[in-house]
Amino acid sequence: MYKSLTKESSKSFWREQVKKLDAYIPGKSIEETKKEYHLHKVIRLASNESPFGPSPKAIEAMKKEIQDGHLYPDSTCTTLRERLGELHGIDPGSYVVANGADNIINLLIASYVNPGDEVVYCTPTFSEYSKNTLLMGGTTVEVPTSDDFVFDLEMMLEAITEKTKLAIVCNPNNPTGTIVDEDKLRDFLNRLPGHVIPVLDEAYIEFVTHESYATGVEYIKEGFPVISIRTFSKLYGLAGMRVGYAVASEELIEPLLTVREPFACNRIAQAAAVAAIDDYEYIGKVLCENRREMTKMIEKLHSLGFEAEPTHTNFIFVNMKQDSSRLANNLLKKGFIIRPCAPWGYPEHARISIGTAAQNEHFFTVLEQILTER
Ligand SMILES: Cc1ncc(COP(=O)(O)O)c(C=O)c1O
């Protein structure tokens, strides 16, 4: 007989693993912030989006593709995989494309992690590794990053047991912006036992210019059983379109293709990604301006007495030496959204995305006002 459910009684139907999870709490949206604080303009420096908009070539391609919005997309993302194959020099059969890198992490863990399997990574890092592992009934094994916020690969090796299935290295790491040294990563891959799959989350890898780094693609070409996760959300400015992919040997990719929903990447997103890969003018501009603004922002943050970690991404991990949530709240009222790092256990740190020159200038004017008012 039908009985109306209460919040509590409805929970009794949930899977046990789901009961253990907290829902993802996104930062405030631009729309919400405008409404709540009666603002006309809000700038979000909280989600590591591109401040430059999508690539013009991608915009053109999206406009064209919308005409075919009544047709299902190419389920296998053939054109995009072929283009990725040319870009990376790895066969098109080695890719799985999905609804953002978030979806790829979800597919990867759903494909490989049995209840009781362990997934090793360092913290602070991207929250989706933990959530998806717990969802599958796996065990998260979290080891701290080193004092300079770099993934500690030695500690990760020490944490490996016979139950370990995946070892995830977020490189560069979110929220700290740090990278692991190439020699250390190679040594790690060489010493990892054969029952552990190394995963490199390389959402920000295109921003790295350091002389000592290697991409997952290079290791895959050398025959390492690495799975690399990539996204079009950051460098290519397509966060709203949701396109991410994994690249690995065909054998490692196969279960993700099995688990993936048939139309996990919509046709407008696929067209945008294909066009964006070739927009060298846009890519050059984004990389150049990001680098220039990063240097200026770090200098400015230091001059305000904050500690800003060197970054290899489009965001900066800043020790603001005060309650960063309070500061973020004050910034919110004045139209700027930044990401306080208390949920990662760093209540005085914030993650600030690198904006355009005009956005950053405005941001610092407002930040200085707030600091002098206090
Ligand atoms: C390290 C890392 N991996 C994956 C993602 C997810 O990216 P996407 O927008 O493609 O889902 C993000 C997003 O911020 C990230 O920082």
Side-chain angles (χ1 to χ4, degrees), residues 47-48 99-103 105 126 129 170 174 201 203-204 231 233-234 242-244:
S47 302
N48 312 334
N99 192 33
D102 278 341
N103 189 197
I105 294 167
F126 193 50
Y129 316 141
C170 188
N174 175 7
D201 183 343
Y204 303 92
T231 181
S233 295
K234 309 301 175 183
R242 316 304 300 124
V243 201

Side-chain angles (χ1 to χ4, degrees), residues 90-346:
I90 295 185
D91 194 76
S94 286
Y95 301 87
V96 54
V97 182
N99 192 33
D102 278 341
N103 189 197
I104 292 289
I105 294 167
N106 172 246
L107 294 177
L108 174 74
I109 295 178
S111 298
Y112 283 108
V113 177
N114 292 304
D117 283 352
E118 292 175 355
V119 176
V120 179
Y121 52 87
C122 285
T123 54
T125 194
F126 193 50
S127 59
E128 291 303 292
Y129 316 141
S130 141
K131 185 182 146 192
N132 283 287
T133 302
L134 297 175
L135 182 62
M136 289 299 127
T139 305
T140 54
V141 179
E142 301 185 339
V143 297
T145 50
S146 60
D147 290 343
D148 47 1
F149 299 108
V150 176
F151 255 57
D152 192 331
L153 302 181
E154 282 301 321
M155 289 276 280
M156 279 180 68
L157 283 171
E158 277 176 35
I160 301 251
T161 70
E162 75 265 11
K163 288 189 187 160
T164 310
K165 183 59 76 69
L166 304 176
I168 306 178
V169 180
C170 188
N171 193 42
N173 187 32
N174 175 7
T176 63
T178 52
I179 52 165
V180 290
D181 183 79
E182 198 222 326
D183 292 340
K184 288 189 182 157
L185 186 52
R186 179 173 296 277
D187 181 54
F188 171 79
L189 295 175
N190 278 321
R191 287 163 61 201
L192 211 55
H195 67 281
V196 183
I197 303 170
V199 177
L200 303 179
D201 183 343
E202 302 187 303
Y204 303 92
I205 198 79
E206 295 94 348
F207 291 102
V208 182
T209 54
H210 195 270
E211 72 265 7
S212 176
Y213 89 100
T215 65
V217 161
E218 290 164 57
Y219 293 117
I220 293 165
K221 282 182 187 165
E222 287 181 41
F224 284 101
V226 165
I227 301 179
S228 158
I229 299 171
R230 299 284 197 108
T231 181
F232 281 87
S233 295
K234 309 301 175 183
L235 171 67
Y236 296 103
L238 293 173
M241 287 294 108
R242 316 304 300 124
V243 201
Y245 63 98
V247 48
S249 66
E250 287 189 27
E251 294 76 19
L252 283 170
I253 288 294
E254 194 182 339
L256 280 78
L257 291 170
T258 310
V259 173
R260 178 185 182 270
E261 62 167 277
F263 303 109
C265 185
N266 75 73
R267 60 166 56 249
I268 300 172
Q270 289 185 44
V274 169
I277 291 175
D278 287 329
D279 201 339
Y280 300 114
E281 199 181 325
Y282 170 85
I283 294 168
K285 179 185 142 196
V286 173
L287 290 175
C288 178
E289 295 202 15
N290 182 71
R291 181 138 287 276
R292 196 189 58 214
E293 286 307 307
M294 175 187 76
T295 312
K296 275 166 54 188
M297 275 180 93
I298 289 184
E299 262 174 38
K300 186 72 190 170
L301 288 162
H302 286 161
S303 77
L304 294 173
F306 301 146
E307 273 169 30
E309 296 300 319
T311 184
H312 299 273
T313 61
N314 63 347
F315 60 84
I316 305 174
F317 186 56
V318 188
N319 183 349
M320 307 198 91
K321 309 209 173 157
Q322 58 196 291
D323 179 351
S324 66
S325 300
R326 223 175 94 193
L327 197 50
N329 216 30
N330 288 333
L331 281 161
L332 203 58
K333 291 177 196 155
K334 298 195 183 258
F336 280 95
I337 314 176
I338 62 165
R339 185 74 167 225
C341 293
W344 277 288
Y346 292 86

Side-chain angles (χ1 to χ4, degrees), residues 45 293 296-297 300 336 355-368:
L45 300 178
E293 286 307 307
K296 275 166 54 188
M297 275 180 93
K300 186 72 190 170
F336 280 95
T356 60
Q359 288 176 339
N360 298 336
E361 202 175 306
H362 187 189
F363 170 73
F364 281 113
T365 309
V366 171
L367 178 60
E368 281 182 289

